[in-house]
Amino acid sequence: MAADRRQEPHRLLRLLTSHWPHPFAAAAVNILLERVSPRPRGPCWIDAPPCDPCPPLALDLADRLQRKTYYFPRAYARYYLGAPLGRAMRLLLGPGDAFVDIGANLGFYSLLAAQLVGGKGGVWAFEPQPGAAESLRRSARLGGLEQVRCFQMALSDREGDLVLHCD
């Protein structure tokens, strides 16, 4: 019940912002929202329904990027999925294909690939940031995309350990 109350202001804001047309204007509005909207302490997971072209996403409202994506799903989905890579994926991927997403972040491309390759295809997503990897895992489950496998790790052309800085 407490989680529901923490989500309510965000749900109301999303009603106003979910159809925002452009990510750059959305970024400016988000700066204002950061000052007036409550930022949950600790994880606050919420399932965001699809908002064409954005697939359903599971997002942690305590994370700044995920909260911004929750508020402006249409703007960010159009930005990523309408980019040259998203257009190329629609042309090149088909049922049964495989897709590898290195640095998957919240998984816009992984989720698109999963839809394109279907249940007989495979999507391997690699994302080192724990919150983003968990969001992608949850989003794949939410969308029933069992062909998505998310690995919380970074890939490189050489062995070694690095420090991952997250804000």
Side-chain angles (χ1 to χ4, degrees):
M1 186 66 160
D4 291 342
R5 274 182 279 173
R6 291 190 313 160
Q7 294 172 357
E8 200 55 38
H10 298 283
R11 289 182 196 279
L12 292 172
L13 281 170
R14 189 173 199 260
L15 285 174
L16 299 171
T17 60
S18 64
H19 296 285
W20 203 269
H22 199 275
F24 300 110
V29 172
N30 189 59
I31 291 169
L32 295 172
L33 290 175
E34 285 284 322
R35 294 182 180 167
V36 299
S37 68
R39 181 176 182 168
R41 289 191 176 106
C44 182
W45 291 97
I46 190 167
D47 292 343
C51 184
D52 189 45
C54 188
L57 297 171
L59 300 166
D60 178 7
L61 297 176
D63 179 271
R64 187 172 191 235
L65 171 65
Q66 293 185 49
R67 192 170 52 254
K68 183 168 52 172
T69 303
Y70 179 76
Y71 290 154
F72 304 101
R74 181 165 281 144
Y76 287 97
R78 282 183 181 160
Y79 177 76
Y80 288 107
L81 301 178
L85 178 57
R87 291 192 306 267
M89 289 171 63
R90 285 184 186 84
L91 291 173
L92 298 173
L93 289 176
D97 286 346
F99 182 79
V100 177
D101 191 353
I102 300 170
N105 203 320
L106 300 180
F108 278 112
Y109 295 124
S110 294
L111 298 173
L112 172 61
Q115 292 171 351
L116 296 171
V117 304
K120 295 198 177 184
V123 176
W124 290 266
F126 297 87
E127 172 53 48
Q129 201 276 334
E134 182 61 21
S135 175
L136 176 52
R137 276 190 210 95
R138 288 175 181 238
S139 294
R141 268 195 313 270
L142 181 64
L145 303 171
E146 295 178 17
Q147 65 273 42
V148 176
R149 289 163 192 84
C150 183
F151 301 90
Q152 185 186 321
M153 66 173 59
L155 298 183
S156 176
D157 63 344
R158 57 184 67 103
E159 281 190 49
D161 293 328
L162 294 172
V163 176
L164 177 65
H165 296 280
C166 304
D167 64 3

